[in-house]
Amino acid sequence: MAQFLSHLTLLTSPVDIDRDQARREAVQELLKPEYARESPVDRVTRAVDQFLGDLLDQESVGAVGSVAARIVLVVLVIAAVVAVVVIARRTAGGGAARQEGIFGDRRRTAAEHRDAAERLAAEGRWAEAVRERLRAVARDLEDRVIVDSTPGRTAGELAAEAGRALPAFASDLAAAARVFDDVTYGEVPGTAESYGVLRDLDERLRTARPTLGAAAEAVTP
């Protein structure tokens, strides 16, 4: 951020920079060990900072030295800062959500998850209904010992394990996991159709039984 502010200062002051010297200093800076460990947000920040530095060198000032051009540069800096903040928040929020797995803090039965899903669907809260219906699927499969009860399991992990025990449902389980991830982490709006996919799968799975060979393969380390 301090680097952005320094460039903003340069926008309103004369610039006298030797291009070759600036490039040599930039190369030396990038050779420092800390750049090998920088985060994606830091890389974006540094790229924008370098871009502004190039625009403000001695040869560029003649082309962008007007007041209008300087205003545009300020707007670009502000937009870049906002973009970096948004990316950082989404990355942090997405990471925290994924670590929670399918279930929340409270343990519910499969029937309770189904009831909650139907209430949410009746209210048109489709994304929440999708999440509750997949939780019903997961709890039902755990209760029938088709999959292990694993804390923090993701939708994809559930689909993979259940798909090995119930090969005929493998593709449907994978599709349901994608729907869950889309509405939970991908900011995709839930719909009546996506909820219908989860509800239909849940109903069909309730009477499904793994074959002997598939069940043995599912529990093999």
Side-chain angles (χ1 to χ4, degrees):
M1 186 63 70
Q3 290 176 320
F4 282 131
L5 294 175
S6 69
H7 280 308
L8 284 174
T9 302
L10 286 173
L11 290 174
T12 56
S13 62
V15 179
D16 185 12
I17 301 173
D18 181 87
R19 178 186 291 271
D20 293 335
Q21 180 183 353
R23 286 179 177 173
R24 286 195 298 270
E25 291 178 358
V27 171
Q28 291 301 318
E29 181 71 14
L30 292 175
L31 291 175
K32 292 181 179 180
E34 54 264 29
Y35 284 100
R37 302 187 299 270
E38 66 181 354
S39 68
V41 173
D42 291 334
R43 285 197 292 271
V44 172
T45 302
R46 178 166 54 79
V48 174
D49 185 64
Q50 181 63 45
F51 170 73
L52 291 174
D54 291 341
L55 285 178
L56 292 170
D57 66 22
Q58 189 171 9
E59 294 182 17
S60 300
V61 169
V64 296
S66 66
V67 174
R70 290 172 186 269
I71 293 174
V72 170
L73 287 177
V74 172
V75 172
L76 286 174
V77 172
I78 295 173
V81 172
V82 172
V84 169
V85 171
V86 170
I87 291 171
R89 287 181 177 177
R90 287 186 178 179
T91 300
R98 287 184 182 276
Q99 291 174 0
E100 293 177 359
I102 297 172
F103 301 106
D105 295 332
R106 177 188 169 189
R107 181 177 179 87
R108 295 182 177 182
T109 66
E112 288 174 331
H113 282 301
R114 289 189 185 102
D115 289 343
E118 287 296 292
R119 286 196 302 271
L120 291 165
E123 296 171 8
R125 297 161 62 182
W126 299 114
E128 296 168 84
V130 163
R131 287 192 283 270
E132 284 299 317
R133 201 73 191 206
L134 188 71
R135 289 164 184 158
V137 169
R139 192 65 76 199
D140 185 69
L141 293 174
E142 289 178 354
D143 291 343
R144 291 192 286 143
V145 200
I146 293 176
V147 299
D148 292 333
S149 180
T150 304
R153 174 171 32 216
T154 66
E157 291 167 345
L158 170 71
E161 184 178 349
R164 289 191 293 270
L166 301 165
F169 291 88
S171 60
D172 293 333
L173 285 161
R178 285 193 296 272
V179 171
F180 179 91
D181 286 344
D182 284 345
V183 302
T184 305
Y185 311 119
E187 300 183 357
V188 176
T191 63
E193 290 75 16
S194 61
Y195 177 69
V197 169
L198 271 294
R199 180 173 54 193
D200 176 68
L201 176 62
D202 183 25
E203 293 299 326
R204 289 186 292 120
L205 283 173
R206 293 175 70 175
T207 58
R209 295 292 182 272
T211 61
L212 184 60
E217 182 180 352
V219 299
T220 300

